[in-house]
Amino acid sequence: MPFTESTLLPSQDALLQRLLHLSTYGQQLMVLTGEDGAGKTTLVTALLSELEQHSSALVMCPKHCDSAEIRRKVLVQLLNDPVFDDEIPLPECLLSVSDSLPSESCIVLDDAHWLPLEIWAECIVLSQMVLPGKSIKLLMTAPAEFFSELTEQLPESLLEQVIAVQIEPLEQPEREGLYYTLLSRSEQHPFTPRDIVKNRLEMQQGTPKEVVDLLNLSLNGEPETLVKRSKLKAIIGLSAVIIVALLASWLFLGSSTNKLNQATKKIEFAADIEARFSQDDSFLEAYGAKILDKHVFIKPNVAKQTEIDKRQIQALTQAQAKTPQSNTITETVNAYPAIPATKFDDAKRVIGETSKVDNVNEHQLDSTKQLASEITINANVVDHTVKPAKGYTLQLASVKKIKSLNNMLLALDGVPQVRVARYKQRWIVLNGHFDNRKMAQEYSAKLVANTGISEPWIRSWQNLGEYQLQEVIPTREIQ
């Protein structure tokens, strides 16, 4: 019996016929979308079994896969000669080995939402290529939510090159038919009323996986989640809890007793002091004399110190008058005849600071300007390494070799806001920051017209979480 008659439901069979029609007459990248458990893998497997005349390449995409790994898995299934470079994009590689390709090929990438966006771009380009005497069909599967986010990033010119085929939820009759068909094949007869099964099926979203899970629940019951512990483990655990509680109580009571004793002593000491004050008013005077007995105090001679200060200031003024200085310094010294300095160095320091305020050194101004410029430069460097939380940018290139990166930067000489980011084993060249997609498209058109580069890829900053902006231009390969 054919695959479609033995496994697929009526709605799935109709969807399979639509995929066959698109793969035969269409020239677009087909994307099969649906929720988890909707039957995407079942449909693409059925499609490959129907395309018996095609050479097929089926790749189950794992999480965190690399672009080179996906290219290698595709090319190994299509080419008999395993001589190829998985670092070259798929369109360029298949064009170079077009003579070795089968006349009709079908490439299926299941769970394509785990793929890098670089592979998505290569598949869109590959679906539009026309090789003499060759036919290449591409089909990818992804959740509907991921595909809607992807289409927001694609330019309008490429949206027409991608067609989405949505898997609709199963109707109630199909759910019941699938349930009882699988139940009859299990050769078991659980006691489950038909009304209960119908109500449970109506509460579901309509995916085949939910029907299979309900059947497993009917046949096997709820899974046991509680693990029975032995009595010995329970006794040991309870004993440990009791010991910890007793130890905590003992420590708490001990600390409380110590605090109570200290408080009692403080109260008794305070009472004793109060009693002494009430009995003898001279107790405080005697206690203070006892404390200050060991200290020696020297009374300063204020008149003598003032006379010394005046003589020091007069000597300093005479020394300054003998040396040729500016009128500003002389006026400053005369303006402060009563400087409270006890040493010659202190007075000299005060006069020096006053002259510095009046006569600003040009060298210091230059140093300040230089420091301000350095701070500005450092601030700019920090800003370049911080990715905006919102908005868009243009991805101009994605290369792996430093030589290719230098060639791209040379072509962009004079273009402002060109940044280099690192993503895994590749260098990414970015340009600009835009608040919306329309501004990015207008700038992209002007950039292509002025520089002659290929049309950039408009990227959202939110999707560049793993990109690391570089402070300086890299000078060596990524290890």
Side-chain angles (χ1 to χ4, degrees):
M1 184 178 295
F3 185 90
T4 56
E5 297 180 6
S6 62
T7 305
L8 299 182
L9 298 172
S11 60
Q12 292 177 329
D13 184 65
L15 197 58
L16 176 62
Q17 298 302 323
R18 182 183 176 187
L19 293 176
L20 286 172
H21 179 79
L22 291 174
S23 62
T24 303
Y25 301 102
Q27 293 293 332
Q28 297 168 309
L29 173 64
M30 297 178 291
V31 181
L32 184 62
T33 63
E35 302 297 332
D36 185 21
K40 299 186 291 295
T41 304
T42 302
L43 283 172
V44 297
T45 306
L47 177 65
L48 292 179
S49 65
E50 292 292 331
L51 299 175
E52 297 179 353
Q53 70 279 9
H54 288 69
S55 296
S56 60
L58 175 61
V59 179
M60 303 293 182
C61 304
K63 294 182 180 180
H64 312 295
C65 55
D66 188 66
S67 301
E69 176 186 355
I70 300 301
R71 298 190 192 103
R72 184 165 55 253
K73 290 181 178 180
V74 171
L75 296 174
V76 164
Q77 299 181 58
L78 293 180
L79 302 176
N80 294 327
D81 188 5
V83 179
F84 53 83
D85 186 1
D86 54 15
E87 294 292 338
I88 301 177
L90 275 176
E92 183 179 349
C93 182
L94 292 179
L95 184 62
S96 61
V97 296
S98 58
D99 296 337
S100 303
L101 283 175
S103 58
E104 295 181 340
S105 305
C106 182
I107 301 175
V108 177
L109 302 178
D110 195 14
D111 293 332
H113 57 285
W114 301 121
L115 291 176
L117 295 180
E118 181 181 8
I119 297 296
W120 279 88
E122 294 179 10
C123 291
I124 294 175
V125 175
L126 184 60
S127 64
Q128 302 304 309
M129 289 180 56
V130 178
L131 300 178
K134 310 294 180 180
S135 173
I136 301 177
K137 306 297 179 182
L138 288 100
L139 174 62
M140 308 174 77
T141 67
E145 182 179 359
F146 171 82
F147 183 73
S148 62
E149 295 178 358
L150 179 66
T151 53
E152 294 179 357
Q153 305 179 33
L154 293 177
E156 296 181 358
S157 59
L158 294 181
L159 288 176
E160 300 178 356
Q161 313 302 333
V162 181
I163 182 171
V165 180
Q166 175 71 26
I167 300 178
E168 300 296 336
L170 298 178
E171 299 294 337
Q172 182 65 19
E174 282 191 325
R175 301 181 197 178
E176 295 184 17
L178 177 60
Y179 178 85
Y180 288 106
T181 300
L182 296 177
L183 180 61
S184 63
R185 293 182 180 180
S186 66
E187 298 181 356
Q188 299 184 28
H189 303 283
F191 180 72
T192 305
R194 189 180 185 90
D195 294 339
I196 296 179
V197 174
K198 182 178 180 180
N199 293 335
R200 294 293 294 270
L201 291 174
E202 289 177 351
M203 296 171 59
Q204 296 178 352
Q205 300 294 329
T207 61
K209 182 178 182 299
E210 293 176 328
V211 178
V212 175
D213 293 341
L214 180 61
L215 180 61
N216 291 332
L217 178 61
S218 178
L219 297 178
N220 304 320
E222 293 285 352
E224 296 183 1
T225 56
L226 298 178
V227 180
K228 296 182 179 180
R229 296 182 298 176
S230 62
K231 294 182 178 180
L232 180 61
K233 292 183 179 180
I235 294 173
I236 294 175
L238 182 60
S239 302
V241 172
I242 293 174
I243 292 173
V244 172
L246 292 175
L247 182 60
S249 302
W250 179 73
L251 293 175
F252 177 74
L253 291 176
S255 61
S256 301
T257 304
N258 293 334
K259 291 181 180 179
L260 182 60
N261 294 334
Q262 294 176 1
T264 304
K265 291 180 180 180
K266 290 180 179 180
I267 293 174
E268 293 177 354
F269 177 75
D272 184 49
I273 294 296
E274 184 178 1
R276 290 191 179 187
F277 279 154
S278 61
Q279 294 175 3
D280 189 2
D281 294 337
S282 62
F283 172 75
L284 182 60
E285 183 179 355
Y287 180 76
K290 182 180 178 181
I291 294 298
L292 299 177
D293 186 34
K294 298 181 180 180
H295 297 274
V296 179
F297 296 91
I298 301 175
K299 296 182 179 180
N301 191 340
V302 178
K304 185 177 180 180
Q305 182 67 32
T306 304
E307 183 179 356
I308 294 174
D309 292 341
K310 288 182 178 180
R311 282 185 289 178
Q312 289 178 350
I313 295 299
Q314 185 178 3
L316 177 62
T317 306
Q318 294 175 359
Q320 295 291 334
K322 292 180 180 180
T323 58
Q325 297 181 354
S326 64
N327 296 330
T328 305
I329 298 178
T330 305
E331 293 175 0
T332 304
V333 173
N334 296 330
Y336 298 94
I339 298 177
T342 58
K343 295 182 180 179
F344 179 77
D345 294 338
D346 294 339
K348 187 176 181 181
R349 175 178 56 80
V350 174
I351 295 173
E353 291 179 354
T354 307
S355 63
K356 289 180 181 178
V357 173
D358 294 335
N359 299 322
V360 179
N361 195 332
E362 295 180 358
H363 178 69
Q364 293 179 347
L365 290 177
D366 296 339
S367 301
T368 304
K369 294 180 181 179
Q370 182 179 1
L371 179 59
S373 63
E374 292 176 356
I375 294 176
T376 305
I377 293 173
N378 293 334
N380 294 334
V381 172
V382 173
D383 291 340
H384 287 170
T385 59
V386 176
K387 290 178 289 187
K390 298 180 180 180
Y392 298 85
T393 186
L394 300 181
Q395 179 172 327
L396 307 182
S398 175
V399 298
K400 189 174 182 181
K401 297 182 178 180
I402 289 295
K403 181 179 179 182
S404 303
L405 176 62
N406 294 334
N407 293 336
M408 188 61 190
L409 295 178
L410 185 61
L412 298 172
D413 187 21
V415 178
Q417 296 186 3
V418 176
R419 306 180 183 180
V420 178
R422 175 177 174 179
Y423 175 68
K424 294 183 179 180
Q425 301 296 324
R426 306 191 70 85
W427 300 113
I428 312 297
V429 181
L430 306 175
N431 182 215
H433 170 68
F434 311 96
D435 295 334
N436 51 57
R437 180 178 289 275
K438 183 178 179 181
M439 296 174 60
Q441 291 176 350
E442 294 176 356
Y443 181 81
S444 175
K446 295 180 181 179
L447 184 64
V448 172
N450 294 335
T451 61
I453 64 174
S454 302
E455 183 177 358
W457 185 7
I458 302 177
R459 305 293 306 275
S460 174
W461 284 111
Q462 296 179 353
N463 297 323
L464 305 181
E466 298 183 3
Y467 283 36
Q468 300 176 359
L469 294 178
Q470 305 297 304
E471 296 183 3
V472 296
I473 299 177
T475 57
R476 61 177 184 176
E477 304 288 345
I478 299 177
Q479 300 297 328

